[in-house]
Structure formats: structure tokens, C-alpha cells
Amino acid sequence: MRRILIVGAGQSGLHLAHTLLDHGYETTVVTAQSSTEIRNSRPSATQLTMPRVLAMERAARLDRWQEHAPRYTGAKVSLRPQDQPPIEFGGTFTSGYGVSVDRRMKMADWLEHFEDRGGKVIIHGVTVTDLDYFTRMFDLIIVAVGAGELGALFDADPHRVGGAHEGVLTQAILTGVAPPEGAQTQDVGEAISLGPRDSAGGGQLPGGDLLIVPMLCADGPATSVFVKGRPGSALDCSPDLGNRATEQDILDALMRRLRDHVPDVAARCEGATLVDDRSANIDRIVPSVRRPIGILPSGGRVLGMADVVLTSDPTSGQGWNNSTLCADAYLNAIKYRGEAPFTEEWMERAFDGFWEDHGRHAAVFSEMVTGFWEGSAPEHFPELIEAVMAYPEVRDRWISGFDRPEDYETWMFDPEKARAYIARFTGA
């Protein structure tokens, strides 16, 4: 029986750990936080479980909130250039529905379930020296946490771009948020993108992005209101907060920004309250793509996974897509390796397989989303928008691409392919 160590108890690490157990591998997870500490921590950026990932979790018997998690059947997009009418459209996922579960509850449950199933859990911080020691005990070490000393093991990859842009993330998980106008419940995710705003000095500040997502928390259904602003932009809340900001301070700063720049959303949030005293946070995203192999002082190799080597921008909704699909690619590579050693060449191929099949597509889509107001939209975008506004099938395919971004390459990004697809409906 091959022995595998996974460092980190997040979406990718625990998904891989459970599926390795399913296939008979002796699997150990080492994490700096116990399940109780995870439950009592501040939330990380809200992540979406898209239909494809939800199906993978169900197949692995990890969909533990089937009867309780609110479902979103599609998404509504609102593009809001300054001083112009918004461009708004919505669509339905063609492959099912998605859910969002508070990471704190989900990861804590998965970690406890992993141990109940016979997996070994070590609660301890890990250093590079520890990894050197562990190489004597395990056939393969996979690093699924990329901060600090461990993250420094993985060099920047100058040949790949992940699509994330630097920004400040501010989030509040609330009860009492009103659903969209005309809806009885919050059964779609909403993505609002603000165009650049004029600064006091007459220049243009970058815009920002807002997500409104139904989600399940420990106390029941709630709504995540999540904004990302480039530093200095309309939705950058950091200038309003000091180093010791409380959760209520963060919510108050978020509401001020919403009232000033997205008043329709602010009106829906008036009177809403935090689900608990740890349900607001502010963080900074620093984009990076790293090489997947870390070299230890002893010369040993460790394999980086998901967020360790690819920063996902939360506003594109690809975080748990990337994490789960990377874990699945690694599982398949491990199975097909048989009893052969896990060499550096094998590690490169394992990550390349994920990158080619999914990562690069998610990166291109993320770049379109996060850099939209800076000229990254395709030149034929006005024709796409016209078709989206006119034809439900085009709207649904656009929205379904959040679940499977590789589909965009087949019809959206290339002008000729896009026009050929649109012509099916226009007859032109």
C-alpha cells in the first residue's frame, strides 16, 4: 500500500484525501487547525460549488448537505459602465444546479469524516524541515497550502498566467438580505461589475466586482455579499478600516461602499445582520502562478496542488472548480502510476494534465472577467452581448460556462467561431 501525505485541509486537499481512501491508499492529512478551530475561524472568500463539482462530490459521497444547502440554478450578470445604462442578463445552468456551503463548516465536516473513515489526521504546523523528515516516511507528499514558508518552495512560473488581478476582498455573510426584485428567494447567484470611476483628480480609478450568493452556514441558509476592488477603487474598503477592525466595522465599511456605488444592492442589505460574530473579513489577493514542484533542502521533491500553484480570482467563481479538478487530475495520475516512483517528471506531467484540460481555460475566463474594463474583452464583444440579450439559448450557454469554462474556447473567444454560433439563431 502506497503512503501519501497531504499538507492542508482545504477543498483540494480533503477531496483528494477522501478519494485516495476510496482507492485503497494509506493517506495522511496534516493541518495546522483542528476541525473545531476551522469552525471557529473567520470565513475565507466565498466559493461556489458549480454543478460539475457538485456531481463529483456526490460521486465521492461528500455531498453531505443535500437537503439543506440553498440551490442556485443559474446566474444574473450586471455590467455597469459609468454614466451609462447597465447591461444585464441572466441564464440557467444546462447541467444542473450549484450550491455554496460555508467553507468553515464544509472543511471541518470533511476533516472529521476523513478521520472517521480511517484516514490519519495530524494537527500540527509544518515547516520545510518537517517535509524533509516526512520524505523518509511517505511515497508522495502533496502540498495543498501555499502561504508562508511552504509557499516559498514553489518558484514563479513565467510562462503561465492565472487570470487573477491584485485586489482587496471584503465579505459579509448575512441573514435578512432581500432577494432580487421580482423573486421570492435568492435562487441565482448575482455578479455585478462596475466600470471605472472618475477620481477627485480627474483620472480614472479601476472599477470593482460584487457577488451575491445564497449559501449554507452552520445556523442555516444565508447570503454572502462579497466585493473585490482594485487598490484605490470604488469597492476597496481597506481605507475605511484600521488594523484592529471588528466584524461589525468591516460590515459597516462594506455598507458605506455599497450605498455610495451600488445603492440597489445596499437597499436589499439594509437591516441584514451577520450570521455570527466571525462572519465578515477583509483580505488581499496577490495573483501568482507557480511551478508545481518544490525542492527541499535534502533534494527531495514535493508536489503543489491547486491554490498553491494557481491563484484563483474569487470573482470568476473558479476557485473550487480549480481545486477539485486539480485533485481529480492528481488522483488519476496516482492511480495510473501503479508501483512506479513519483518522479519529478511524473509530477510535471500530473500538473500539466490539469492545466491543459482545465486550468488554462479557467485562467482565460478569469482574465476576461477580472480585466473586462481594461480592454481584455474580445473585440467582437458587442455582437456577443446583442445575441445574449436576444436569445435564451445564448444566455444559458454563457452562464453555463461558469461551470465549464473550456466551452468558451469553442464559441466565444474567437470572432469567427462566435459569429458562426450566433448565425445559428440570426440566420445571417
Side-chain angles (χ1 to χ4, degrees):
M1 183 182 294
R2 310 205 75 175
R3 306 183 70 198
I4 297 175
L5 175 68
I6 299 172
V7 182
Q11 175 79 14
S12 61
L14 286 175
H15 192 281
L16 178 58
H18 277 281
T19 53
L20 285 171
L21 279 188
D22 290 339
H23 290 85
Y25 291 90
E26 185 178 331
T27 309
T28 300
V29 169
V30 59
T31 172
Q33 289 185 307
S34 68
S35 59
T36 300
E37 290 170 325
I38 293 171
R39 291 186 196 281
N40 292 325
S41 63
R42 274 185 168 181
S44 59
T46 293
Q47 300 283 3
L48 311 178
T49 307
M50 297 290 183
R52 170 168 48 175
V53 168
L54 184 60
M56 295 171 70
E57 292 181 359
R58 189 174 297 122
R61 301 177 302 285
L62 294 174
D63 177 20
R64 301 170 63 81
W65 308 274
Q66 175 72 16
E67 302 303 322
H68 307 288
R71 302 174 179 181
Y72 54 92
T73 56
K76 179 182 177 182
V77 175
S78 179
L79 306 174
R80 302 186 180 185
Q82 186 179 15
D83 299 327
Q84 296 181 38
I87 301 168
E88 297 183 328
F89 61 91
T92 301
F93 294 133
T94 57
S95 53
Y97 61 87
V99 299
S100 184
V101 178
D102 187 341
R103 180 191 181 279
R104 299 171 293 179
M105 179 175 67
K106 184 177 185 179
M107 296 304 109
D109 283 0
W110 276 11
L111 185 62
E112 292 169 0
H113 182 44
F114 174 74
E115 197 164 20
D116 290 343
R117 295 183 59 201
K120 185 175 182 181
V121 176
I122 301 172
I123 309 298
H124 201 283
V126 177
T127 67
V128 170
T129 302
D130 295 327
L131 292 185
D132 254 333
Y133 174 75
F134 287 141
T135 58
R136 309 171 199 168
M137 304 168 57
F138 294 92
D139 298 295
L140 175 64
I141 297 175
I142 296 175
V143 178
V145 56
E149 184 182 358
L150 299 190
L153 285 171
F154 302 91
D155 294 333
D157 187 340
H159 305 295
R160 290 185 172 120
V161 177
H165 286 217
E166 182 179 2
V168 179
L169 316 176
T170 310
Q171 170 181 258
I173 303 175
L174 305 169
T175 57
V177 176
E181 184 177 356
Q184 297 298 315
T185 60
Q186 179 81 37
D187 59 354
V188 297
E190 298 173 78
I192 298 172
S193 184
L194 303 183
R197 296 302 197 251
D198 290 331
S199 69
Q204 287 275 303
L205 293 175
D209 298 289
L210 165 66
L211 296 182
I212 307 170
V213 181
M215 71 182 306
L216 179 68
C217 298
D219 294 331
T223 303
S224 170
V225 180
F226 171 90
V227 302
K228 176 198 170 187
R230 297 288 188 91
S233 71
L235 296 182
D236 174 7
C237 297
S238 60
D240 302 351
L241 298 167
N243 292 330
R244 297 188 178 183
T246 66
E247 278 75 2
Q248 188 61 48
D249 292 335
I250 295 171
L251 175 58
D252 292 343
L254 174 61
M255 287 299 299
R256 285 194 294 272
R257 296 284 172 158
L258 294 180
R259 292 186 189 107
D260 287 343
H261 303 289
V262 203
D264 57 317
V265 174
R268 291 167 52 189
C269 298
E270 298 293 351
T273 57
L274 294 167
V275 297
D276 57 47
D277 60 3
R278 303 172 311 280
S279 290
N281 68 305
I282 186 166
D283 203 356
R284 185 174 293 270
I285 185 170
V286 179
S288 66
V289 181
R290 300 169 176 164
R291 294 192 65 250
I293 299 171
I295 302 176
L296 301 173
S298 65
R301 268 53 172 170
V302 294
L303 175 61
M305 178 165 64
D307 287 347
V308 175
V309 288
L310 174 61
T311 302
S312 300
D313 198 302
T315 55
S316 67
Q318 297 305 301
W320 279 357
N321 265 7
N322 284 337
S323 293
T324 307
L325 292 165
C326 190
D328 189 61
Y330 284 10
L331 171 68
N332 290 325
I334 290 167
K335 289 191 301 181
Y336 295 147
R337 192 62 173 167
E339 296 301 317
F342 297 113
T343 62
E344 181 173 348
E345 181 184 13
W346 173 86
M347 292 180 181
E348 289 278 9
R349 289 202 308 268
F351 180 75
D352 286 347
F354 157 72
W355 179 261
E356 289 301 315
D357 290 344
H358 180 77
R360 66 184 181 90
H361 302 289
V364 172
F365 173 57
S366 291
E367 173 59 31
M368 187 185 79
V369 172
T370 61
F372 174 76
W373 300 109
E374 298 171 31
S376 66
E379 62 179 18
H380 57 286
F381 190 79
E383 298 169 60
L384 289 171
I385 289 294
E386 186 177 342
V388 161
M389 302 301 288
Y391 304 107
E393 297 93 336
V394 182
R395 291 197 292 273
D396 289 346
R397 189 168 186 182
W398 185 308
I399 295 302
S400 294
F402 281 83
D403 182 35
R404 295 180 178 271
E406 64 271 17
D407 183 53
Y408 289 129
E409 188 173 299
T410 68
W411 73 278
M412 179 185 286
F413 296 142
D414 180 84
E416 292 185 6
K417 291 179 180 178
R419 288 167 182 141
Y421 175 67
I422 293 170
R424 300 182 192 176
F425 306 97
T426 63

